[in-house]
Amino acid sequence: MQDKQQDPGGDDGTNPIRITATRENPFLTVEVHDTSDTIPKIAPPDPSATAGRGLAIVQSLSHAWGWRPTTTGKAVWFRLLA
């Protein structure tokens, strides 16, 4: 399992995130934790936008995906066949 966490409260405007990966045969589950309470939703991106395609990519490549609220924000998860 790998975890990555950014330093909270930086002057560069970043928010802390944590990424976890867990193997539960036959799946690999990845969770991305952040401090936002915004509900994730798939929306058609503006063709000229440089962001907004992540969940569409996750949905097309994963076996399943979802999200859950946490005490510090939310966690978005997806499962891949391992």
Side-chain angles (χ1 to χ4, degrees):
M1 177 177 0
Q2 282 186 319
D3 282 356
K4 176 182 178 183
Q5 189 162 1
Q6 296 176 350
D7 183 26
D11 292 332
D12 60 0
T14 61
N15 292 318
I17 63 166
R18 183 170 51 102
I19 301 170
T20 60
T22 307
R23 173 87 186 253
E24 300 171 37
N25 286 331
F27 299 107
L28 174 69
T29 301
V30 178
E31 280 193 331
V32 179
H33 300 252
D34 65 31
T35 58
S36 171
D37 60 1
T38 303
I39 296 172
K41 57 185 168 186
I42 297 174
D46 176 336
S48 63
T50 59
R53 294 170 179 82
L55 282 180
I57 294 169
V58 165
Q59 182 178 37
S60 68
L61 297 177
S62 67
H63 182 73
W65 76 275
W67 73 279
R68 62 184 174 84
T70 66
T71 57
T72 58
K74 71 175 175 302
V76 177
W77 58 268
F78 62 91
R79 288 194 180 106
L80 303 169
L81 285 172

